Amino acid sequence: MKKINRKNFLKKSVLGTVALSTVAAACNAESATSTDGVPAINTGKKYRWKMVTTWPPNYPIIGEGLEEMAKWIEAMSGGRMKIKVYGGGELVPPLESFDAVSSGTAEMGHGGAYYWAGKAPAAQFFASVPFGMNAQQMNAWLISGGGMALWRELYAKFNLVPFSCGNTGVQMGGWFNKEINSLADLQGLKMRIPGFGGKVFAKAGGSPVLAAGSELYTSLERGVIDATEWIGPFHDYKMGFQDIAKYYYAPGWHEAGTNLELFVNKPKFDALPKDLQMIIETAAARYNIWMLSEIEAQNNLYLDKLIKEKNIDIRYFPDEVLDQLRVYTDEILAEITASDPFAKKVYASYDAFRNRAKNWAAVTEKVFYNKLQK
Ligand code: CA
């Protein structure tokens, strides 16, 4: 009786038959078709990949998160793809990660695009520039405002495919042992502040110092440097700066929302089955929102600790200082875009988006912070 009913049903339901056959074929065959029509060939082949990073091994939040991301990729792929994460220096030195993935020594890497400004000046727009966009605006520009296409175009020249993969949120301005009341207070000040921010600081008369994270506490304690920036309350607390510096300055004018990156060797990525490509893309997107949430939660907790348990004095850079740092930033941006056509093209997109985002924020988030959540 059941058999007859089923036969009749199948005869009547042509659509149903077609649908069932398609599903059966997809399940039986080794290939299926993904939603956008690109073949997703699951040959059952296993991939064992290496990820090099610019961070110390298992670095809080950032490195720990990458270990988690490797687990997500393994679980989503049913074990077909396993990724071993290497801290900076474990397989290659941290700042050789880009070249290692470009050449295929490792299949993927994690870092910040501004580390590669020496190879491609335009790269820093995909991480952070002083007085730039915050995390929400960076994500909007990259995901929905045309930024990602430019980033892909730039990295293709280096045999890489980039993905947004984490954001530090707005950082703090750094730890000082003297007050900054005017530009004169920056003259000759030895501060650890890397990259673009360091160049701006030098134009303002300061003396930027390059120092690895591991040396910062001792350098500040012994007076080798007068000041240092790092990230925000959570990571800075772990470094112990609150025990050796008097003032914690806001805001992090040089890093308003630094976007982190996953970069994958392009030929190896292009050769992956479509489903594994999407699994990597999806894992990076999950890491992106996870890191921003985690760092927001830890920073607001540790700011509380710094103020209530350590009596840390939060200070703000005077407007006069910030206004002049902005002028120097614009001068350096003009130099970069005049000498590198691709940087000019990326900055045009970045700047147009930032201006619109600024106007939108002026009637929404700025009002929210100033009037509603005060
Ligand atoms: Ca920083």
Side-chain angles (χ1 to χ4, degrees), residues 10-136:
L10 288 176
K11 266 186 186 168
K12 284 174 190 165
S13 172
V14 178
L15 263 176
T17 311
V18 171
L20 283 171
S21 314
T22 308
V23 171
C27 292
N28 293 335
E30 288 207 320
S31 67
T33 301
S34 64
T35 48
D36 60 359
V38 179
I41 302 160
N42 176 1
T43 59
K45 185 178 170 185
K46 288 186 162 50
Y47 296 84
R48 300 292 176 258
W49 278 20
K50 296 184 281 291
M51 184 199 292
V52 290
T53 71
T54 57
W55 323 108
N58 273 302
Y59 195 68
I61 300 182
I62 305 174
E64 290 167 351
L66 295 173
E67 297 287 349
E68 288 301 307
M69 188 168 82
K71 289 179 196 161
W72 304 337
I73 290 174
E74 185 177 347
M76 283 194 280
S77 68
R80 282 158 60 215
M81 175 165 266
K82 282 189 185 175
I83 291 163
K84 180 159 172 50
V85 180
Y86 293 89
E90 288 186 332
L91 190 65
V92 297
L95 298 184
E96 286 177 23
S97 298
F98 189 89
D99 288 343
V101 178
S102 183
S103 66
T105 300
E107 292 83 1
M108 48 170 55
H110 191 267
Y114 50 14
Y115 292 142
W116 327 122
K119 301 174 194 299
Q124 51 211 328
F125 295 111
F126 303 110
S128 174
V129 294
F131 300 94
M133 293 192 270
N134 67 16
Q136 178 172 308

Side-chain angles (χ1 to χ4, degrees), residues 114 171-172 192 194 229-231 254-255:
Y114 50 14
Q171 299 195 13
M172 282 293 281
R192 183 269 181 186
E229 71 81 53
W230 186 234
I231 304 176
H254 58 306
E255 291 187 89

Side-chain angles (χ1 to χ4, degrees), residues 228-241:
T228 186
E229 71 81 53
W230 186 234
I231 304 176
F234 171 73
H235 289 99
D236 292 11
Y237 184 101
K238 301 272 173 196
M239 294 287 264
F241 298 137

Side-chain angles (χ1 to χ4, degrees), residues 233-272:
F234 171 73
H235 289 99
D236 292 11
Y237 184 101
K238 301 272 173 196
M239 294 287 264
F241 298 137
Q242 63 279 1
D243 299 327
I244 51 171
K246 279 190 205 157
Y247 308 115
Y248 197 18
Y249 266 83
W253 56 274
H254 58 306
E255 291 187 89
T258 302
N259 175 63
L260 304 183
E261 58 175 5
L262 177 74
F263 42 93
V264 183
N265 178 278
K266 194 170 186 307
K268 291 191 179 172
F269 184 80
D270 290 345
L272 284 177

